[in-house]
Amino acid sequence: MTDQFKNYIDGNWLMAPSGKTFENRSPADRNDLIGVFPASGPAEVDAAVGAARGAFAGWRLVPAPKRGEILYRVGELLRKNKEEIARGMTREMGKVLKETRGDVQEGIDTAFYVAGEGRRLFGETTPAELPNKFAMSVRMPIGVCALITPWNFPMAIPTWKMFPALVCGNTVVLKPAEDTPLTAVKLVEILSEAGVPPGVVNLIHGRGEEVGAALVRHPQVQLVSFTGSATVGREIASACGQSLKRVSLELGGKNAQIVMDDGDIELAVEGALWGAFGTTGQRCTATSRLILHRQIAKKLTDMLVARARGLRIGDGLDESVDMGPLINEAAREKVLGYIDVGKREGARLLTGGAIYKSGSSANGFFFEPTIFDQVKPDMRIAQEEIFGPVLSILEVNSFEEAIEVLNSTAYGLSSSIYTQDVTRAFRAMRDIEAGITYINGPTIGAEVHLPFGGVKDTGNGHREAGTTVYDIFTEWKSVYVDYSGKLQKAQIDNAE
Ligand code: NAD
């Protein structure tokens, strides 16, 4: 019998009244049906937002340390269920088990980190300019937050958004990606078990154009937190601009790793392999460009190609596999399209470039690890986000040229440089246009207690994680308490 999953509205698990559903199948084996989920519409969005609005009145008054304690319990339950969630995640989105375990771990780390924030949420006190007057600023919750998330980090990304939103006293409606609804169900089950009151967290499944768009436009949604493609991000930002909603956007990347002539080549090969082919290249922080100093380019390229050819491709549930499938047919078509683009533009295909077919992989969306060299900075494969296991190698003659090439795309999420020279390392930290820079590490590997986000077309200036995420999910209020017993006029009574 097919497993049937539901929406979660006001503390109840509900089917869509229309009875419409969509299927969730494993990208490693299309014959593996995980379950069916409600294909919701505007009516369910309205019900979920109404429930969140209703619950806000009570949740905002629960002391923040108490809200933090519930999130701590969420962290404990995530830890208890880590293996089961990771296996379900690998089955529904394909990345290998050690990575899905890491994805759940990010949720656990976020829960414990944010739980402590319940006892901080610091504001400021400052002297007032008039006598017998007190001044301070405090953080206030905003209201109903719509959280719209992609499929590549089905646990980490919803938790980055949801836990800070909740500890600040907001209520939420989560709209997960159509390809990863199961992990969202697991998360919400845990929140409910941990004691989050009805209506505080709501979950709506369905298509982005339908459910996501209706959420963004709902008049009772005060804030939209979106992670996904730049195309959809632009649409959401325009809609939020019209209704003056707060919107935070975490969008695409075209991340590069530089290796200078003094870099540790073996370390750089390890980093590039993990950065380019981890999660089958489907990370917003994936390494999609490798910028090599001409002196070491040939040696490093030969080593990397040999290693890429040795990667084991297959079902991520098999512990011996290095790289799982792409997420769906459209993704595989997109990657194939870019292989053609690269060849037509004159880049040289060194390895890969084709659908991977072997044994049991015929029913999945597998693709070979692919490396192009002789790539020029203005080629489309050096400029556009491919979101697959495709790495472009560009050669440069100097440090200055490396930085210029790295900065020459519209995006600015993650970046990396391998060098033993402290001067170059500090110049890179200063001159690279990106939200994240690694020295002697790959472009992936963010930790939850540092700000996460990018510059240029990667976002709109917000940062998730760290202490900066609270600027997304709270409004500042300045409070003045006058205990002088008389009318005091600022800038007038105390003027010279
Ligand atoms: P996507 O933009 O197609 O979808 C993201 C979410 O938006 C999904 O839940 C989808 O249903 C919803 N959506 C789609 N159309 C919508 C609309 N018109 N209105 C409202 N919601 C809509 O992205 P994806 O393919 O799921 O994810 C891949 C992209 O996400 C890549 O570009 C990647 O770089 C980016 N990403 C960025 C970060 C980051 O933190 N910067 C992290 C992970 C992924």
Side-chain angles (χ1 to χ4, degrees), residues 148-152 157 160 175-178 207-209 212-213 216 226-229 232 235-236 250-253 284 385 387 413 452 458:
I148 302 177
T149 53
W151 47 265
N152 63 342
I157 293 177
W160 288 357
K175 205 307 273 174
E178 298 88 312
R207 290 179 56 238
E209 298 81 349
V216 166
F226 172 78
T227 298
S229 61
V232 175
E235 243 176 74
I236 290 178
E250 299 287 344
L251 310 175
C284 51
E385 188 182 47
F387 228 56
L413 182 51
F452 184 93
T458 292

Side-chain angles (χ1 to χ4, degrees), residues 27 57 104 160 185 193 216 275 296 313 327 390 401 426 435 449:
V104 183
W160 288 357
V185 167
E193 189 182 341
V216 166
I296 48 92
I313 303 167
I327 187 69
V390 181
E401 190 186 351
F426 271 86
H449 53 297

Side-chain angles (χ1 to χ4, degrees), residues 213-479:
L215 255 180
V216 166
R217 283 167 182 79
H218 197 290
Q220 286 188 320
V221 166
Q222 267 97 17
L223 179 158
V224 179
S225 172
F226 172 78
T227 298
S229 61
T231 313
V232 175
R234 282 197 170 85
E235 243 176 74
I236 290 178
S238 304
C240 291
Q242 284 302 314
S243 52
L244 298 178
K245 276 186 190 145
R246 182 179 295 204
V247 57
S248 79
L249 304 171
E250 299 287 344
L251 310 175
K254 189 69 190 173
N255 316 291
Q257 172 182 323
I258 296 173
V259 187
M260 291 308 301
D261 46 349
D262 63 350
D264 179 330
I265 295 187
E266 276 176 23
L267 196 63
V269 167
E270 288 292 333
L273 203 68
W274 176 226
F277 304 121
T279 321
T280 321
Q282 302 170 109
R283 290 187 181 220
C284 51
T285 53
T287 309
S288 58
R289 296 178 296 153
L290 187 58
I291 301 171
L292 301 181
H293 192 281
R294 209 166 293 282
Q295 297 273 325
I296 48 92
K298 166 109 183 57
K299 184 171 175 202
L300 193 150
T301 302
D302 289 347
M303 285 165 71
L304 185 64
V305 167
R307 292 290 301 277
R309 286 188 179 136
L311 288 175
R312 281 159 306 209
I313 303 167
D315 186 336
L317 288 169
D318 174 347
E319 301 266 9
S320 70
V321 159
D322 297 309
M323 197 177 94
L326 288 162
I327 187 69
N328 54 32
E329 182 66 48
R332 196 163 65 174
E333 285 304 308
K334 182 177 170 196
V335 173
L336 264 175
Y338 273 107
I339 303 299
D340 270 353
V341 168
K343 287 180 188 162
R344 277 205 311 276
E345 284 179 317
R348 181 170 61 170
L349 183 64
L350 294 177
T351 188
I355 289 173
Y356 176 80
K357 287 194 202 118
S358 161
S360 61
S361 69
N363 291 324
F365 302 119
F366 295 94
F367 204 88
E368 296 174 349
T370 300
I371 303 177
F372 281 106
D373 77 347
Q374 298 179 2
V375 177
K376 301 288 170 246
D378 58 352
M379 289 181 181
R380 283 182 60 199
I381 58 167
Q383 289 291 328
E384 297 171 18
E385 188 182 47
I386 300 173
F387 228 56
V390 181
L391 180 67
S392 293
I393 297 181
L394 300 99
E395 281 185 26
V396 292
N397 289 307
S398 66
F399 171 78
E400 289 71 22
E401 190 186 351
I403 300 287
E404 194 183 320
V405 168
L406 187 146
N407 286 342
S408 70
T409 73
Y411 295 110
L413 182 51
S414 189
S415 58
S416 136
I417 181 165
Y418 283 72
T419 179
Q420 301 298 320
D421 179 339
V422 71
T423 308
R424 283 174 169 170
F426 271 86
R427 286 203 176 134
M429 285 182 238
R430 185 191 62 193
D431 296 338
I432 286 176
E433 296 167 358
I436 306 168
T437 295
Y438 293 89
I439 308 296
N440 295 328
T443 60
I444 62 183
E447 300 181 22
V448 304
H449 53 297
L450 276 85
F452 184 93
V455 303
K456 304 199 281 190
D457 288 2
T458 292
N460 63 343
H462 290 286
R463 291 291 181 275
E464 292 190 331
T467 52
T468 42
V469 68
Y470 303 102
D471 289 329
I472 299 177
F473 288 107
T474 54
E475 292 276 13
W476 281 108
K477 178 181 273 190
S478 298
V479 180

